[in-house]
Amino acid sequence: MNKINIHLVIMLFSVLSSLYAQNSEKNQKSILENYEQVDLSNWKLIWQDEFDYSDKELDKKWISQNGPTEHVLVACSRWRENAVVQNGILELVVKKETRGGQDWTAGNVWTKKTFGYGYFEARYKYAAAPATNNSFWLWPKFKLAKGEKACEVDINEGHFPSIINTNVHNWTDFDTAPSGRKTHSSNQLHHTLTAEPLHEIELKEVVKAKKIRLISSTPKSIQISELRIFGTSIKNFPNSNKPLPEHIENLVASNDVTITTNGNNSNALKSEPGFIADNRLDTRWVSRNSGDKWIEFEWDADKEIKSIQFINGWLQNDGMSRNLITDYKIQVFENNIWKTIHEYNLSETSNFGEEYHTYGLEWDEDYFKFYFDGKLYYTMRNAVCFSKTNILFSLAILKNNYSGPITDDLDGKSMKIDYVRYYNRKSGTTN
């Protein structure tokens, strides 16, 4: 890399890091507000389903799986009876019942019609429970012509309470690793667009403790670039996007602290627990990917703790933070038990199981552009998807704590789809 590029990278990192200086929730919303809005005046509506008909008419446009699901992560079979149209809504319903060799059932449907390049949009609610995968995606359900590639585009594989997952798979071409393991091209990202990168916790009273931890059940890995625990000597939180001044003590960086975790992410480049206390924003600790995750701090003697500040997520060069934490507890170890002194849950302020949102994709021969409520939040190159495809909706229950624990609370929950629409770009308009 030449000197000019190095200076540009440094300047870009400085500008993006400054985004953390504001209140993080407002920061995220302001970023979305400034993002490009899809202009539907440039598009012609070609096909739609508003589900404003009786349940039996669903079969005119859609096909159901009607059988077991063989995917290694999926714990449910899918049936037409679990896809119910009522009151202008298509509901994909979870039931606790043994059928098709699996202990749960749910619903999925795909279009009889195939679609090419255009703008796809659906408005729906997630099933309001962990362990669900609420999907709006594209996949060629019918036979591909010779030379065409099997391409899957996940417009959103939504996980409760408000995680958006995008992905583009090339299922035709595979690479072979030195170990002999075959892998396919994939661009999987999860986005928590309504969560907070900066958390600042002012405890109601000073806590004395030798051991404290942050524990989270966020469905994916959590990523923390800096975590600071302060005693009683500071009155206000320091600037989070600048190195901590020498006169302010971060107890996490004390000489007598021991930092432990219940697992690091082996796929993360240069992830170490100690990175959260190195006074740098360009390093981070990345937890394991599923189940509960925790990071614990222990000192030789009791410390007085008054406040906590931490930065989480993966800051992108577009100013957006991804992989944001959805829940956590701050706990201290007292009388041989962990006692919660602070709790955060994103579902209290952002719950896509209670809120309708739109999820959109603009697809052409060059790019995929992903939209949330009409706002462009992610763009990637199209290197593989050039053939006609079907539209699918599916509700799945995922094993292995992949999107949260499977509990009886799932029974009766449903993904609720208000509409799906497909547009072609009008002649004479450009991207």
Side-chain angles (χ1 to χ4, degrees):
M1 182 181 290
N2 60 41
K3 290 183 178 180
I4 294 177
N5 286 340
I6 292 173
H7 288 311
L8 287 173
V9 170
I10 293 171
M11 289 174 63
L12 177 62
F13 179 77
S14 176
V15 169
L16 295 177
S17 295
S18 68
L19 292 169
Y20 280 128
Q22 306 172 34
N23 174 275
S24 56
E25 182 178 3
K26 292 180 180 178
N27 185 27
Q28 286 290 301
K29 289 179 180 177
S30 66
I31 290 172
L32 282 172
E33 286 170 1
N34 292 329
Y35 268 37
E36 178 184 326
Q37 176 83 35
V38 63
D39 185 357
L40 291 179
S41 68
N42 293 329
W43 298 88
K44 181 180 180 181
L45 182 63
I46 301 298
W47 182 91
Q48 66 192 112
D49 199 339
E50 308 290 327
F51 305 108
D52 52 355
Y53 46 71
S54 66
D55 180 69
K56 63 182 180 180
E57 293 183 77
L58 180 69
D59 302 307
K60 292 180 179 180
K61 293 183 177 180
W62 302 85
I63 299 170
S64 293
Q65 177 177 313
N66 284 325
T69 307
E70 296 179 355
H71 193 287
V72 66
L73 275 178
V74 178
C76 61
S77 56
R78 264 82 73 95
W79 306 89
R80 171 63 176 88
E81 292 85 348
N82 296 70
V84 181
V85 177
Q86 56 185 355
N87 302 319
I89 301 294
L90 169 60
E91 292 193 45
L92 305 180
V93 184
V94 171
K95 297 179 183 178
K96 187 178 182 182
E97 57 181 350
T98 301
R99 192 177 180 188
Q102 293 172 290
D103 293 333
W104 293 84
T105 64
N108 68 350
V109 294
W110 58 87
T111 56
K112 293 181 177 181
K113 181 179 174 63
T114 58
F115 303 85
Y117 300 140
Y119 177 69
F120 302 77
E121 185 178 270
R123 181 175 185 263
Y124 66 92
K125 287 182 183 180
Y126 294 2
T132 56
N133 197 60
N134 304 262
S135 299
F136 169 38
W137 52 303
L138 307 179
W139 171 250
K141 291 296 292 184
F142 308 126
K143 187 176 181 180
L144 286 167
K146 186 177 180 180
E148 293 181 345
K149 297 184 185 298
C151 178
E152 174 186 340
V153 183
D154 299 314
I155 300 171
N156 179 24
E157 288 188 291
H159 296 167
F160 180 83
S162 51
I163 293 177
I164 300 169
N165 289 276
T166 60
N167 197 12
V168 177
H169 292 280
N170 171 6
W171 289 106
T172 297
D173 303 321
F174 287 83
D175 297 319
T176 303
S179 64
R181 180 171 177 260
K182 290 188 175 182
T183 60
H184 68 274
S185 173
S186 179
N187 185 273
Q188 187 164 0
L189 288 174
H190 67 277
H191 317 265
T192 37
L193 304 180
T194 58
E196 304 175 20
L198 172 63
H199 290 257
E200 294 184 330
I201 304 156
E202 188 76 32
L203 299 178
K204 293 180 180 179
E205 57 185 34
V206 176
V207 172
K208 285 188 176 182
K210 287 181 63 176
K211 293 171 68 173
I212 188 170
R213 71 177 182 180
L214 180 149
I215 183 168
S216 173
S217 58
T218 295
K220 300 295 185 182
S221 60
I222 58 174
Q223 307 193 20
I224 300 178
S225 56
E226 281 295 295
L227 191 148
R228 298 163 175 172
I229 299 179
F230 303 116
T232 58
S233 60
I234 70 165
K235 302 302 181 184
N236 300 302
F237 284 105
N239 193 325
S240 63
N241 72 311
K242 291 185 177 180
L244 198 63
E246 290 185 3
H247 70 278
I248 298 178
E249 182 185 17
N250 178 10
L251 297 177
V252 172
S254 300
N255 292 331
D256 63 338
V257 71
T258 300
I259 303 175
T260 56
T261 77
N262 68 333
N264 301 328
N265 193 314
S266 59
N267 295 322
L269 183 64
K270 296 182 179 179
S271 163
E272 294 182 15
F275 286 165
I276 69 170
D278 63 0
N279 217 12
R280 293 173 55 177
L281 289 178
D282 59 344
T283 61
R284 55 193 163 142
W285 169 67
V286 185
S287 75
R288 66 183 190 176
N289 197 46
S290 62
D292 284 344
K293 305 103 186 165
W294 52 257
I295 186 162
E296 179 184 313
F297 311 95
E298 182 175 4
W299 298 274
D300 294 341
D302 280 343
K303 301 292 184 181
E304 289 190 331
I305 299 168
K306 180 61 174 136
S307 57
I308 300 165
Q309 179 187 62
F310 71 89
I311 298 170
N312 79 105
W314 180 14
L315 184 63
Q316 308 293 294
N317 59 10
D318 59 3
M320 185 67 69
S321 295
R322 296 190 174 91
N323 299 72
L324 289 167
I325 199 165
T326 62
D327 67 85
Y328 63 85
K329 295 178 181 178
I330 304 295
Q331 299 178 325
V332 293
F333 198 65
E334 290 184 357
N335 300 321
N336 294 318
I337 62 169
W338 286 103
K339 174 186 174 183
T340 299
I341 58 173
H342 179 80
E343 190 168 358
Y344 167 83
N345 197 320
L346 181 60
S347 66
E348 294 177 359
T349 57
S350 180
N351 185 335
F352 293 178
E354 295 178 352
E355 308 158 7
Y356 277 106
H357 293 279
T358 61
Y359 307 91
L361 171 73
E362 181 182 340
W363 168 38
D364 62 30
E365 62 183 353
D366 296 316
Y367 290 99
F368 300 102
K369 295 183 177 181
F370 295 88
Y371 292 81
F372 172 69
D373 286 342
K375 301 287 186 178
L376 175 65
Y377 67 91
Y378 178 54
T379 300
M380 68 170 287
R381 277 280 187 181
N382 178 13
V384 67
C385 297
F386 310 108
S387 305
K388 286 198 171 184
T389 188
N390 301 86
I391 298 173
L392 297 91
F393 290 107
S394 59
L395 179 59
I397 301 170
L398 301 184
K399 303 175 185 177
N400 303 336
N401 244 320
Y402 193 81
S403 61
I406 297 174
T407 69
D408 288 351
D409 187 51
L410 283 165
D411 193 19
K413 295 292 194 297
S414 65
M415 175 182 172
K416 298 176 176 65
I417 303 147
D418 182 24
Y419 66 73
V420 55
R421 297 168 185 166
Y422 168 73
Y423 301 79
N424 282 162
R425 185 171 286 281
K426 293 179 181 178
S427 60
T429 63
T430 58
N431 294 344

